[in-house]
Amino acid sequence: MRPSHAIVDLAALRRNLARAAACAPGANNVAVIKANGYGHGLVPVARALEDVAEALAVATIDEALVLRDAGIAAPLLVLQGATTRDDVAEAAERRLWLMLHSVAQVEALCRSRAERPVTAWLKIDTGMGRLGVPFAEATKFLELIESLKGIRVEGLLSHFASADEQDKSFSNQQLER
């Protein structure tokens, strides 16, 4: 046993998410619970938040399937997106939302044999420099996706590089992009 441990108050977690959501009335919230609920238990955290958040986000298809198998019915966003044809088919069948952050992912999705439309979120890199279509190419990327059958765009997102810093100038620039 490790000498340190964390005790998570799931009721407090629910209250905190509700308070955060109240700060942006009208905005939807997606609770990111990847990495085993950040070490606090994927399924218990999902159960605690599924009726407070509009959706839950996990890193991989495998995490999403664990939640579906546990009876979690909330919308699930897979941040990594699909990596194989089977992933795309599984996502369509199990009603998972896939992150699309590159043209290669869109091409792979088009080659899949999913029998149902796939719901997708588009990730635009507005300055984080990690994953996402460069913001200068975002319009072209969206036009490509809109021209395809079998993909329903649910949302658009980015990742703030320095949102926790007091100087908000770069975050504001990202938001403008």
Side-chain angles (χ1 to χ4, degrees), residues 71-138:
I72 302 297
L76 298 176
L77 172 60
V78 180
L79 297 172
Q80 177 180 297
T83 56
T84 68
R85 275 186 188 183
D86 291 342
D87 285 352
V88 174
E90 190 80 35
E93 180 64 29
R94 305 288 293 269
R95 304 202 187 281
L96 306 176
W97 295 348
L98 295 177
M99 179 75 69
L100 296 177
H101 50 77
S102 71
V103 172
Q105 281 186 313
V106 174
E107 291 168 350
L109 198 144
C110 289
R111 289 189 305 268
S112 75
R113 292 187 168 83
E115 294 181 21
R116 293 186 175 156
V118 173
T119 300
W121 281 63
L122 312 182
K123 184 166 186 186
I124 308 302
D125 182 3
T126 58
M128 180 75 172
R130 214 182 279 170
L131 291 177
V133 173
F135 71 91
E137 299 170 21

Side-chain angles (χ1 to χ4, degrees), residues 26-38:
N28 293 328
N29 64 70
V30 177
V32 179
I33 61 171
K34 64 183 185 175
N36 193 30
Y38 286 94

Side-chain angles (χ1 to χ4, degrees), residues 150-169:
I151 301 175
R152 184 181 146 270
V153 176
E154 177 70 24
L156 176 74
L157 68 92
S158 190
H159 196 159
F160 288 103
S162 56
D164 57 345
E165 294 178 10
Q166 282 191 340
D167 179 0
K168 300 294 184 203
S169 57

